[in-house]
Amino acid sequence: VIGFTARQYKSDTPGPKYKNTPETCLFKKSKVLFGLEWARRGMSQKKKVLIVEGQIDALRLIQAGFQETVAAQGTALGQEHAKELFHLGVNEAHLAFDGDKAGQEAALKVGHILQKGGMEVKVVRLLKGQDPDLVLREEGPAAWQRHMERALDYLTFFVDYLSLSIDKNSPAGKNELVQTIVRKIQEWDHPLMVHESLRKLALLTQVPEAALLQSYESPSPIVVTPKGSLEQGSLKVDPDRVLEADLLRWLFLMGASCPNLVEMAKLYLEPKHFHLPVSRCLYEGYLKAHDEQKSTDLLEFAMSFDQPDQQLFLSEVLQKRVNRERVKPCFRETLQRILERQWMQERETIKVKIYGGRCSESEVLELAKEFDRLKKQRPEVKG
């Protein structure tokens, strides 16, 4: 037992509908799913979950045979709850919140969190004033099953909900509705789900599919920026330039006295990891000189760089000092950030291809598989 809960049984009783134990180190609404100890097996077997607001709703449904039911302690389901559901292998969720405005808004929020992680969400529509407990008591389990079968997929529910306040029959209204939903879809993690959801949204709103896939789906490039400000006075700093200069500075100034740095670089870094041609050239030249047991002095390399932009970059490499007491951890951190930058860029490149609308269905599936493979292989510098 980690806490207690109670529910009003007379509608005219003042105060909240549910009353819970105040949060403690054991009982946190953001982490606890009520009924999980009863529903865990059913959820694992069916790969489905039925999420309701109240504890009594959950108990009534479990008693009626809907063994995959949990309650989210009101409408507070969040990321921690979602992680627990994904950990159990759940890939489909029914949301059965109260029929009032708060319940509908909670369904939008919770549905977005679950869809973002790749779960298929359906929303059970209840009338205002209804909840699962009331439906079961007045109509029985068979009626509830019919409610489940008539549940709306998340996108259809989203469109219907926004249509209550936005006139989708007017050009401006339709544009506002579509853009609102597209922005949410683009936050989802799985590119294939994003691609297919945009196609479905085009069908629901009678918008040309190509208009959504091409006009709305170009994600902004992701850049791993170094710590600190990106501006110095009126001069804007190129984060790629700073990051690559930092790594080369460690390598050239400390590589001879710390051979482990060179071995780490050779193990993890390829020329493709450098975005700047000048830094790529320096890195390749350093490795070649090292392997041939020639001098790796930076000033000697500078003699072969005669272009102004090359000389400017070399001066940036030489300007900063290095902390000799923190050589290895600082080098490892810089190396890690360069690898993560490349990892994220490769994922974004796949997204752009999927979202471009020029790939066949089979090509989209292959790209989605590649994206999932990359997602599981986040780089990590060891040693």
Side-chain angles (χ1 to χ4, degrees):
V1 176
I2 60 171
F4 295 89
T5 186
R7 177 190 166 174
Q8 288 181 355
Y9 68 94
K10 291 184 178 179
S11 59
D12 58 350
T13 303
K17 184 177 179 180
Y18 279 91
K19 182 72 172 176
N20 293 319
T21 295
E23 290 201 349
T24 66
C25 59
L26 288 179
F27 174 67
K28 293 187 181 295
K29 289 172 66 176
S30 63
K31 294 185 177 181
V32 175
L33 284 169
F34 181 84
L36 186 60
E37 66 270 34
W38 295 298
R40 189 186 301 273
R41 178 176 296 180
M43 285 168 23
S44 296
Q45 290 174 347
K46 298 180 180 179
K47 306 299 181 186
K48 297 179 180 180
V49 64
L50 170 56
I51 303 174
V52 296
E53 286 188 40
Q55 292 91 331
I56 301 299
D57 293 325
L59 291 173
R60 185 80 67 179
L61 284 160
I62 292 170
Q63 185 183 45
F66 299 91
Q67 298 292 334
E68 68 278 15
T69 307
V70 293
Q73 314 293 315
T75 58
L77 188 140
Q79 295 290 349
E80 292 298 321
H81 297 118
K83 286 181 183 178
E84 181 68 29
L85 296 175
F86 286 117
H87 178 70
L88 291 170
V90 175
N91 53 35
E92 182 178 318
H94 276 78
L95 307 181
F97 295 158
D98 293 355
D100 56 15
K101 184 178 180 182
Q104 301 300 290
E105 290 178 349
L108 280 180
K109 174 190 170 185
V110 173
H112 174 68
I113 291 172
L114 298 178
Q115 292 263 161
K116 185 177 187 297
M119 194 178 297
E120 189 67 30
V121 175
K122 296 181 180 180
V123 181
V124 178
R125 301 293 293 271
L126 298 175
L127 298 176
K128 188 175 182 180
Q130 277 190 327
D131 59 27
D133 174 45
L134 182 65
V135 172
L136 283 169
R137 283 189 287 114
E138 293 187 350
E139 302 177 41
W144 179 257
Q145 182 61 42
R146 289 194 292 273
H147 277 286
M148 296 273 288
E149 292 168 357
R150 293 196 297 264
L152 296 179
D153 64 87
Y154 181 73
L155 271 184
T156 301
F157 171 75
F158 203 167
V159 170
D160 287 355
Y161 181 83
L162 287 185
S163 297
L164 296 175
S165 56
I166 299 175
D167 181 12
K168 66 178 182 180
N169 293 319
S170 72
K174 179 178 284 190
N175 180 63
E176 180 185 356
L177 183 146
V178 169
Q179 289 202 43
T180 299
I181 298 177
V182 165
R183 282 194 293 269
K184 285 294 184 181
I185 291 174
Q186 287 184 324
E187 294 177 15
W188 298 350
D189 293 337
H190 296 268
L192 184 58
M193 178 172 273
V194 173
H195 181 268
E196 293 303 311
S197 296
L198 285 165
R199 292 182 63 188
K200 181 163 188 172
L201 178 63
L203 182 64
L204 290 171
T205 56
Q206 297 183 333
V207 172
E209 185 178 298
L212 289 188
L213 292 175
Q214 294 178 11
S215 300
Y216 292 101
E217 283 195 326
S218 297
S220 300
I222 293 180
V223 178
V224 181
T225 57
K227 295 179 182 177
S229 174
L230 289 180
E231 295 188 6
Q232 297 178 349
S234 61
L235 177 64
K236 291 187 177 181
V237 178
D238 180 354
D240 289 335
R241 191 180 186 92
V242 173
L243 193 59
E244 293 173 17
D246 284 348
L247 184 128
L248 290 168
R249 183 180 303 110
W250 287 108
L251 202 56
F252 273 95
L253 299 184
M254 302 302 299
S257 58
C258 300
N260 285 345
L261 301 190
V262 184
E263 297 306 315
M264 288 174 66
K266 291 171 70 175
L267 179 62
Y268 291 103
L269 280 181
E270 300 176 27
K272 69 176 183 179
H273 290 104
F274 292 89
H275 291 184
L276 276 66
V278 61
S279 54
R280 189 183 309 121
C281 182
L282 269 174
Y283 179 68
E284 291 177 319
Y286 180 91
L287 291 187
K288 182 179 179 182
H290 178 271
D291 291 343
E292 295 177 356
Q293 298 184 341
K294 295 181 179 179
S295 172
T296 56
D297 184 77
L298 187 57
L299 292 177
E300 290 189 23
F301 277 80
M303 300 297 292
S304 61
F305 284 69
D306 54 4
Q307 298 298 319
D309 61 324
Q310 294 174 330
Q311 294 173 355
L312 177 61
F313 181 77
L314 285 170
S315 68
E316 291 170 8
V317 173
L318 288 167
Q319 275 175 1
K320 291 185 181 179
R321 294 182 179 180
V322 296
N323 185 345
R324 295 176 181 273
E325 296 179 358
R326 299 194 69 248
V327 174
K328 195 169 180 180
C330 288
F331 182 80
R332 187 191 303 115
E333 179 185 355
T334 307
L335 178 58
Q336 178 70 42
R337 286 157 64 191
I338 286 180
L339 293 177
E340 288 185 346
R341 178 186 66 177
Q342 181 70 19
W343 177 70
M344 285 191 282
Q345 184 184 56
E346 289 176 3
R347 293 175 65 202
E348 289 304 303
T349 299
I350 294 175
K351 281 187 179 181
V352 170
K353 289 180 181 178
I354 292 176
Y355 299 158
R358 296 184 178 89
C359 296
S360 65
E361 292 297 318
S362 60
E363 289 172 332
V364 167
L365 287 172
E366 288 302 316
L367 286 168
K369 290 178 183 178
E370 178 65 14
F371 181 89
D372 288 337
R373 184 189 65 78
L374 273 174
K375 187 177 179 181
K376 297 173 184 176
Q377 295 180 348
R378 190 180 189 114
E380 181 181 359
V381 178
K382 298 179 181 179

